[in-house]
PDB file of all heavy atoms in Angstrom:
ATOM      1  N   LEU A 547      97.932 115.182 141.592  1.00 98.00           N
ATOM      2  CA  LEU A 547      97.803 116.156 142.676  1.00 98.00           C
ATOM      3  C   LEU A 547      99.012 117.077 142.722  1.00 98.00           C
ATOM      4  O   LEU A 547      98.870 118.314 142.781  1.00 98.00           O
ATOM      5  CB  LEU A 547      97.659 115.410 144.006  1.00 98.00           C
ATOM      6  CG  LEU A 547      97.746 116.240 145.286  1.00 98.00           C
ATOM      7  CD1 LEU A 547      96.573 117.197 145.396  1.00 98.00           C
ATOM      8  CD2 LEU A 547      97.810 115.323 146.500  1.00 98.00           C
ATOM      9  N   LEU A 548     100.204 116.518 142.709  1.00 98.00           N
ATOM     10  CA  LEU A 548     101.417 117.319 142.788  1.00 98.00           C
ATOM     11  C   LEU A 548     101.558 118.236 141.573  1.00 98.00           C
ATOM     12  O   LEU A 548     101.887 119.420 141.708  1.00 98.00           O
ATOM     13  CB  LEU A 548     102.634 116.400 142.895  1.00 98.00           C
ATOM     14  CG  LEU A 548     102.785 115.644 144.213  1.00 98.00           C
ATOM     15  CD1 LEU A 548     103.840 114.556 144.086  1.00 98.00           C
ATOM     16  CD2 LEU A 548     103.129 116.597 145.351  1.00 98.00           C
ATOM     17  N   GLU A 549     101.312 117.691 140.394  1.00 97.00           N
ATOM     18  CA  GLU A 549     101.423 118.504 139.187  1.00 97.00           C
ATOM     19  C   GLU A 549     100.438 119.661 139.232  1.00 97.00           C
ATOM     20  O   GLU A 549     100.777 120.799 138.882  1.00 97.00           O
ATOM     21  CB  GLU A 549     101.187 117.645 137.947  1.00 97.00           C
ATOM     22  CG  GLU A 549     101.439 118.385 136.644  1.00 97.00           C
ATOM     23  CD  GLU A 549     101.408 117.470 135.444  1.00 97.00           C
ATOM     24  OE1 GLU A 549     101.020 116.281 135.600  1.00 97.00           O
ATOM     25  OE2 GLU A 549     101.772 117.924 134.353  1.00 97.00           O
ATOM     26  N   GLY A 550      99.203 119.402 139.675  1.00 97.00           N
ATOM     27  CA  GLY A 550      98.207 120.458 139.724  1.00 97.00           C
ATOM     28  C   GLY A 550      98.554 121.558 140.705  1.00 97.00           C
ATOM     29  O   GLY A 550      98.289 122.745 140.447  1.00 97.00           O
ATOM     30  N   LEU A 551      99.165 121.195 141.847  1.00 97.00           N
ATOM     31  CA  LEU A 551      99.519 122.197 142.847  1.00 97.00           C
ATOM     32  C   LEU A 551     100.791 122.952 142.484  1.00 97.00           C
ATOM     33  O   LEU A 551     100.922 124.149 142.748  1.00 97.00           O
ATOM     34  CB  LEU A 551      99.689 121.529 144.211  1.00 97.00           C
ATOM     35  CG  LEU A 551      98.431 120.986 144.890  1.00 97.00           C
ATOM     36  CD1 LEU A 551      98.802 120.287 146.189  1.00 97.00           C
ATOM     37  CD2 LEU A 551      97.437 122.104 145.156  1.00 97.00           C
ATOM     38  N   ILE A 552     101.759 122.245 141.901  1.00 97.00           N
ATOM     39  CA  ILE A 552     103.074 122.839 141.667  1.00 97.00           C
ATOM     40  C   ILE A 552     103.157 123.587 140.343  1.00 97.00           C
ATOM     41  O   ILE A 552     103.746 124.673 140.269  1.00 97.00           O
ATOM     42  CB  ILE A 552     104.157 121.737 141.709  1.00 97.00           C
ATOM     43  CG1 ILE A 552     104.227 121.128 143.106  1.00 97.00           C
ATOM     44  CG2 ILE A 552     105.513 122.287 141.313  1.00 97.00           C
ATOM     45  CD1 ILE A 552     105.143 119.910 143.196  1.00 97.00           C
ATOM     46  N   ASP A 553     102.579 123.030 139.283  1.00 97.00           N
ATOM     47  CA  ASP A 553     102.781 123.569 137.940  1.00 97.00           C
ATOM     48  C   ASP A 553     102.481 125.061 137.814  1.00 97.00           C
ATOM     49  O   ASP A 553     103.245 125.786 137.168  1.00 97.00           O
ATOM     50  CB  ASP A 553     101.935 122.784 136.929  1.00 97.00           C
ATOM     51  CG  ASP A 553     102.205 123.228 135.506  1.00 97.00           C
ATOM     52  OD1 ASP A 553     103.320 122.995 135.019  1.00 97.00           O
ATOM     53  OD2 ASP A 553     101.302 123.832 134.892  1.00 97.00           O
ATOM     54  N   PRO A 554     101.408 125.588 138.421  1.00 96.00           N
ATOM     55  CA  PRO A 554     101.144 127.026 138.254  1.00 96.00           C
ATOM     56  C   PRO A 554     102.233 127.932 138.835  1.00 96.00           C
ATOM     57  O   PRO A 554     102.284 129.117 138.494  1.00 96.00           O
ATOM     58  CB  PRO A 554      99.817 127.229 139.012  1.00 96.00           C
ATOM     59  CG  PRO A 554      99.182 125.883 139.061  1.00 96.00           C
ATOM     60  CD  PRO A 554     100.333 124.933 139.191  1.00 96.00           C
ATOM     61  N   HIS A 555     103.100 127.380 139.673  1.00 97.00           N
ATOM     62  CA  HIS A 555     104.096 128.195 140.359  1.00 97.00           C
ATOM     63  C   HIS A 555     105.526 127.930 139.891  1.00 97.00           C
ATOM     64  O   HIS A 555     106.461 128.550 140.382  1.00 97.00           O
ATOM     65  CB  HIS A 555     104.008 127.946 141.863  1.00 97.00           C
ATOM     66  CG  HIS A 555     102.634 128.147 142.422  1.00 97.00           C
ATOM     67  ND1 HIS A 555     102.075 129.397 142.596  1.00 97.00           N
ATOM     68  CD2 HIS A 555     101.679 127.255 142.814  1.00 97.00           C
ATOM     69  CE1 HIS A 555     100.855 129.277 143.078  1.00 97.00           C
ATOM     70  NE2 HIS A 555     100.598 127.987 143.218  1.00 97.00           N
ATOM     71  N   LEU A 556     105.697 127.013 138.931  1.00 97.00           N
ATOM     72  CA  LEU A 556     107.035 126.711 138.437  1.00 97.00           C
ATOM     73  C   LEU A 556     107.590 127.871 137.612  1.00 97.00           C
ATOM     74  O   LEU A 556     106.866 128.460 136.802  1.00 97.00           O
ATOM     75  CB  LEU A 556     107.021 125.459 137.573  1.00 97.00           C
ATOM     76  CG  LEU A 556     106.862 124.111 138.276  1.00 97.00           C
ATOM     77  CD1 LEU A 556     106.731 123.002 137.251  1.00 97.00           C
ATOM     78  CD2 LEU A 556     108.047 123.841 139.194  1.00 97.00           C
ATOM     79  N   PRO A 557     108.871 128.205 137.797  1.00 94.00           N
ATOM     80  CA  PRO A 557     109.491 129.187 136.899  1.00 94.00           C
ATOM     81  C   PRO A 557     109.461 128.694 135.458  1.00 94.00           C
ATOM     82  O   PRO A 557     109.388 127.485 135.201  1.00 94.00           O
ATOM     83  CB  PRO A 557     110.937 129.267 137.426  1.00 94.00           C
ATOM     84  CG  PRO A 557     110.880 128.740 138.829  1.00 94.00           C
ATOM     85  CD  PRO A 557     109.788 127.708 138.834  1.00 94.00           C
ATOM     86  N   ALA A 558     109.510 129.619 134.526  1.00 94.00           N
ATOM     87  CA  ALA A 558     109.503 129.253 133.110  1.00 94.00           C
ATOM     88  C   ALA A 558     110.684 128.335 132.797  1.00 94.00           C
ATOM     89  O   ALA A 558     111.793 128.540 133.293  1.00 94.00           O
ATOM     90  CB  ALA A 558     109.566 130.510 132.246  1.00 94.00           C
ATOM     91  N   ARG A 559     110.435 127.294 131.984  1.00 95.00           N
ATOM     92  CA  ARG A 559     111.487 126.340 131.645  1.00 95.00           C
ATOM     93  C   ARG A 559     112.315 126.835 130.479  1.00 95.00           C
ATOM     94  O   ARG A 559     111.822 127.466 129.541  1.00 95.00           O
ATOM     95  CB  ARG A 559     110.873 124.984 131.285  1.00 95.00           C
ATOM     96  CG  ARG A 559     110.223 124.289 132.465  1.00 95.00           C
ATOM     97  CD  ARG A 559     109.935 122.829 132.165  1.00 95.00           C
ATOM     98  NE  ARG A 559     109.010 122.654 131.050  1.00 95.00           N
ATOM     99  CZ  ARG A 559     107.691 122.701 131.168  1.00 95.00           C
ATOM    100  NH1 ARG A 559     107.130 122.966 132.324  1.00 95.00           N
ATOM    101  NH2 ARG A 559     106.924 122.511 130.112  1.00 95.00           N
ATOM    102  N   ASP A 560     113.619 126.514 130.535  1.00 95.00           N
ATOM    103  CA  ASP A 560     114.516 126.761 129.416  1.00 95.00           C
ATOM    104  C   ASP A 560     115.571 125.660 129.415  1.00 95.00           C
ATOM    105  O   ASP A 560     115.443 124.656 130.121  1.00 95.00           O
ATOM    106  CB  ASP A 560     115.148 128.155 129.486  1.00 95.00           C
ATOM    107  CG  ASP A 560     115.926 128.390 130.777  1.00 95.00           C
ATOM    108  OD1 ASP A 560     116.456 127.402 131.344  1.00 95.00           O
ATOM    109  OD2 ASP A 560     116.019 129.546 131.222  1.00 95.00           O
ATOM    110  N   ALA A 561     116.632 125.845 128.637  1.00 93.00           N
ATOM    111  CA  ALA A 561     117.641 124.789 128.497  1.00 93.00           C
ATOM    112  C   ALA A 561     118.415 124.542 129.783  1.00 93.00           C
ATOM    113  O   ALA A 561     119.072 123.493 129.929  1.00 93.00           O
ATOM    114  CB  ALA A 561     118.614 125.156 127.372  1.00 93.00           C
ATOM    115  N   THR A 562     118.351 125.471 130.723  1.00 95.00           N
ATOM    116  CA  THR A 562     119.113 125.317 131.969  1.00 95.00           C
ATOM    117  C   THR A 562     118.273 124.802 133.137  1.00 95.00           C
ATOM    118  O   THR A 562     118.793 124.637 134.242  1.00 95.00           O
ATOM    119  CB  THR A 562     119.730 126.666 132.383  1.00 95.00           C
ATOM    120  OG1 THR A 562     118.691 127.580 132.758  1.00 95.00           O
ATOM    121  CG2 THR A 562     120.541 127.265 131.245  1.00 95.00           C
ATOM    122  N   THR A 563     117.004 124.529 132.907  1.00 98.00           N
ATOM    123  CA  THR A 563     116.112 124.130 133.989  1.00 98.00           C
ATOM    124  C   THR A 563     116.557 122.804 134.609  1.00 98.00           C
ATOM    125  O   THR A 563     116.832 121.834 133.901  1.00 98.00           O
ATOM    126  CB  THR A 563     114.671 123.995 133.476  1.00 98.00           C
ATOM    127  OG1 THR A 563     114.210 125.272 133.040  1.00 98.00           O
ATOM    128  CG2 THR A 563     113.742 123.473 134.569  1.00 98.00           C
ATOM    129  N   LEU A 564     116.592 122.784 135.934  1.00 98.00           N
ATOM    130  CA  LEU A 564     116.923 121.581 136.691  1.00 98.00           C
ATOM    131  C   LEU A 564     115.935 121.440 137.846  1.00 98.00           C
ATOM    132  O   LEU A 564     115.609 122.426 138.504  1.00 98.00           O
ATOM    133  CB  LEU A 564     118.350 121.659 137.253  1.00 98.00           C
ATOM    134  CG  LEU A 564     119.513 121.593 136.272  1.00 98.00           C
ATOM    135  CD1 LEU A 564     120.823 121.883 137.019  1.00 98.00           C
ATOM    136  CD2 LEU A 564     119.580 120.222 135.611  1.00 98.00           C
ATOM    137  N   TYR A 565     115.495 120.206 138.092  1.00 98.00           N
ATOM    138  CA  TYR A 565     114.621 119.929 139.212  1.00 98.00           C
ATOM    139  C   TYR A 565     115.299 118.936 140.156  1.00 98.00           C
ATOM    140  O   TYR A 565     116.208 118.189 139.769  1.00 98.00           O
ATOM    141  CB  TYR A 565     113.297 119.331 138.738  1.00 98.00           C
ATOM    142  CG  TYR A 565     112.477 120.224 137.840  1.00 98.00           C
ATOM    143  CD1 TYR A 565     111.878 119.723 136.683  1.00 98.00           C
ATOM    144  CD2 TYR A 565     112.298 121.570 138.142  1.00 98.00           C
ATOM    145  CE1 TYR A 565     111.108 120.530 135.861  1.00 98.00           C
ATOM    146  CE2 TYR A 565     111.527 122.392 137.322  1.00 98.00           C
ATOM    147  CZ  TYR A 565     110.952 121.871 136.177  1.00 98.00           C
ATOM    148  OH  TYR A 565     110.192 122.680 135.369  1.00 98.00           O
ATOM    149  N   LEU A 566     114.824 118.919 141.393  1.00 98.00           N
ATOM    150  CA  LEU A 566     115.296 117.973 142.401  1.00 98.00           C
ATOM    151  C   LEU A 566     114.122 117.146 142.906  1.00 98.00           C
ATOM    152  O   LEU A 566     113.105 117.704 143.332  1.00 98.00           O
ATOM    153  CB  LEU A 566     115.936 118.721 143.573  1.00 98.00           C
ATOM    154  CG  LEU A 566     116.257 117.885 144.830  1.00 98.00           C
ATOM    155  CD1 LEU A 566     117.336 116.857 144.524  1.00 98.00           C
ATOM    156  CD2 LEU A 566     116.677 118.792 145.980  1.00 98.00           C
ATOM    157  N   ASP A 567     114.275 115.833 142.864  1.00 98.00           N
ATOM    158  CA  ASP A 567     113.321 114.911 143.489  1.00 98.00           C
ATOM    159  C   ASP A 567     114.070 114.262 144.650  1.00 98.00           C
ATOM    160  O   ASP A 567     114.821 113.296 144.467  1.00 98.00           O
ATOM    161  CB  ASP A 567     112.845 113.873 142.473  1.00 98.00           C
ATOM    162  CG  ASP A 567     111.729 112.990 143.013  1.00 98.00           C
ATOM    163  OD1 ASP A 567     111.329 113.181 144.177  1.00 98.00           O
ATOM    164  OD2 ASP A 567     111.268 112.102 142.269  1.00 98.00           O
ATOM    165  N   ALA A 568     113.911 114.811 145.846  1.00 97.00           N
ATOM    166  CA  ALA A 568     114.681 114.380 147.012  1.00 97.00           C
ATOM    167  C   ALA A 568     114.033 113.178 147.674  1.00 97.00           C
ATOM    168  O   ALA A 568     112.833 113.201 147.955  1.00 97.00           O
ATOM    169  CB  ALA A 568     114.797 115.532 148.011  1.00 97.00           C
ATOM    170  N   ALA A 569     114.817 112.147 147.913  1.00 95.00           N
ATOM    171  CA  ALA A 569     114.302 110.890 148.462  1.00 95.00           C
ATOM    172  C   ALA A 569     113.178 110.360 147.591  1.00 95.00           C
ATOM    173  O   ALA A 569     112.171 109.850 148.085  1.00 95.00           O
ATOM    174  CB  ALA A 569     113.845 111.075 149.905  1.00 95.00           C
ATOM    175  N   GLY A 570     113.366 110.465 146.281  1.00 93.00           N
ATOM    176  CA  GLY A 570     112.314 110.105 145.329  1.00 93.00           C
ATOM    177  C   GLY A 570     112.148 108.624 145.101  1.00 93.00           C
ATOM    178  O   GLY A 570     111.242 108.224 144.359  1.00 93.00           O
ATOM    179  N   GLY A 571     113.004 107.806 145.701  1.00 87.00           N
ATOM    180  CA  GLY A 571     112.840 106.363 145.603  1.00 87.00           C
ATOM    181  C   GLY A 571     112.817 105.865 144.171  1.00 87.00           C
ATOM    182  O   GLY A 571     113.710 106.152 143.372  1.00 87.00           O
ATOM    183  N   SER A 572     111.774 105.153 143.824  1.00 86.00           N
ATOM    184  CA  SER A 572     111.648 104.563 142.490  1.00 86.00           C
ATOM    185  C   SER A 572     111.121 105.558 141.457  1.00 86.00           C
ATOM    186  O   SER A 572     110.935 105.193 140.300  1.00 86.00           O
ATOM    187  CB  SER A 572     110.699 103.365 142.550  1.00 86.00           C
ATOM    188  OG  SER A 572     109.383 103.794 142.882  1.00 86.00           O
ATOM    189  N   GLY A 573     110.869 106.801 141.866  1.00 90.00           N
ATOM    190  CA  GLY A 573     110.332 107.801 140.947  1.00 90.00           C
ATOM    191  C   GLY A 573     108.833 107.745 140.794  1.00 90.00           C
ATOM    192  O   GLY A 573     108.272 108.414 139.916  1.00 90.00           O
ATOM    193  N   ALA A 574     108.150 107.003 141.657  1.00 88.00           N
ATOM    194  CA  ALA A 574     106.718 106.762 141.493  1.00 88.00           C
ATOM    195  C   ALA A 574     105.884 108.022 141.633  1.00 88.00           C
ATOM    196  O   ALA A 574     104.787 108.096 141.076  1.00 88.00           O
ATOM    197  CB  ALA A 574     106.239 105.717 142.496  1.00 88.00           C
ATOM    198  N   THR A 575     106.360 109.026 142.373  1.00 93.00           N
ATOM    199  CA  THR A 575     105.562 110.245 142.559  1.00 93.00           C
ATOM    200  C   THR A 575     106.146 111.464 141.851  1.00 93.00           C
ATOM    201  O   THR A 575     105.417 112.398 141.557  1.00 93.00           O
ATOM    202  CB  THR A 575     105.398 110.579 144.056  1.00 93.00           C
ATOM    203  OG1 THR A 575     106.691 110.652 144.669  1.00 93.00           O
ATOM    204  CG2 THR A 575     104.569 109.513 144.756  1.00 93.00           C
ATOM    205  N   GLY A 576     107.444 111.467 141.585  1.00 94.00           N
ATOM    206  CA  GLY A 576     108.060 112.652 140.994  1.00 94.00           C
ATOM    207  C   GLY A 576     108.429 112.540 139.537  1.00 94.00           C
ATOM    208  O   GLY A 576     109.000 113.469 138.969  1.00 94.00           O
ATOM    209  N   CYS A 577     108.071 111.415 138.898  1.00 92.00           N
ATOM    210  CA  CYS A 577     108.511 111.187 137.523  1.00 92.00           C
ATOM    211  C   CYS A 577     107.969 112.223 136.543  1.00 92.00           C
ATOM    212  O   CYS A 577     108.556 112.457 135.481  1.00 92.00           O
ATOM    213  CB  CYS A 577     108.139 109.788 137.075  1.00 92.00           C
ATOM    214  SG  CYS A 577     106.380 109.418 137.183  1.00 92.00           S
ATOM    215  N   TRP A 578     106.855 112.871 136.885  1.00 95.00           N
ATOM    216  CA  TRP A 578     106.295 113.876 135.976  1.00 95.00           C
ATOM    217  C   TRP A 578     107.249 115.064 135.834  1.00 95.00           C
ATOM    218  O   TRP A 578     107.268 115.723 134.787  1.00 95.00           O
ATOM    219  CB  TRP A 578     104.924 114.332 136.457  1.00 95.00           C
ATOM    220  CG  TRP A 578     104.940 114.978 137.797  1.00 95.00           C
ATOM    221  CD1 TRP A 578     104.891 114.354 139.017  1.00 95.00           C
ATOM    222  CD2 TRP A 578     105.022 116.371 138.062  1.00 95.00           C
ATOM    223  NE1 TRP A 578     104.940 115.275 140.032  1.00 95.00           N
ATOM    224  CE2 TRP A 578     105.020 116.523 139.473  1.00 95.00           C
ATOM    225  CE3 TRP A 578     105.090 117.506 137.270  1.00 95.00           C
ATOM    226  CZ2 TRP A 578     105.092 117.767 140.088  1.00 95.00           C
ATOM    227  CZ3 TRP A 578     105.155 118.752 137.873  1.00 95.00           C
ATOM    228  CH2 TRP A 578     105.158 118.871 139.265  1.00 95.00           C
ATOM    229  N   LEU A 579     108.055 115.332 136.869  1.00 96.00           N
ATOM    230  CA  LEU A 579     109.075 116.373 136.739  1.00 96.00           C
ATOM    231  C   LEU A 579     110.166 115.943 135.762  1.00 96.00           C
ATOM    232  O   LEU A 579     110.619 116.733 134.920  1.00 96.00           O
ATOM    233  CB  LEU A 579     109.713 116.670 138.101  1.00 96.00           C
ATOM    234  CG  LEU A 579     108.963 117.571 139.066  1.00 96.00           C
ATOM    235  CD1 LEU A 579     109.700 117.637 140.395  1.00 96.00           C
ATOM    236  CD2 LEU A 579     108.780 118.984 138.494  1.00 96.00           C
ATOM    237  N   ALA A 580     110.592 114.682 135.864  1.00 94.00           N
ATOM    238  CA  ALA A 580     111.642 114.172 134.986  1.00 94.00           C
ATOM    239  C   ALA A 580     111.206 114.137 133.532  1.00 94.00           C
ATOM    240  O   ALA A 580     112.040 114.133 132.621  1.00 94.00           O
ATOM    241  CB  ALA A 580     112.063 112.775 135.446  1.00 94.00           C
ATOM    242  N   GLU A 581     109.905 114.094 133.294  1.00 93.00           N
ATOM    243  CA  GLU A 581     109.401 114.134 131.922  1.00 93.00           C
ATOM    244  C   GLU A 581     109.464 115.542 131.341  1.00 93.00           C
ATOM    245  O   GLU A 581     109.388 115.726 130.126  1.00 93.00           O
ATOM    246  CB  GLU A 581     107.967 113.616 131.880  1.00 93.00           C
ATOM    247  CG  GLU A 581     107.854 112.120 132.188  1.00 93.00           C
ATOM    248  CD  GLU A 581     106.417 111.667 132.317  1.00 93.00           C
ATOM    249  OE1 GLU A 581     105.526 112.546 132.449  1.00 93.00           O
ATOM    250  OE2 GLU A 581     106.180 110.440 132.291  1.00 93.00           O
TER     251      GLU A 581
END
Side-chain angles (χ1 to χ4, degrees):
L547 170 66
L548 290 168
E549 186 171 9
L551 291 177
I552 296 173
D553 185 67
H555 306 286
L556 286 174
R559 292 194 299 276
D560 58 29
T562 68
T563 296
L564 291 172
Y565 298 135
L566 169 66
D567 187 0
S572 65
T575 54
C577 57
W578 61 275
L579 280 175
E581 292 173 345

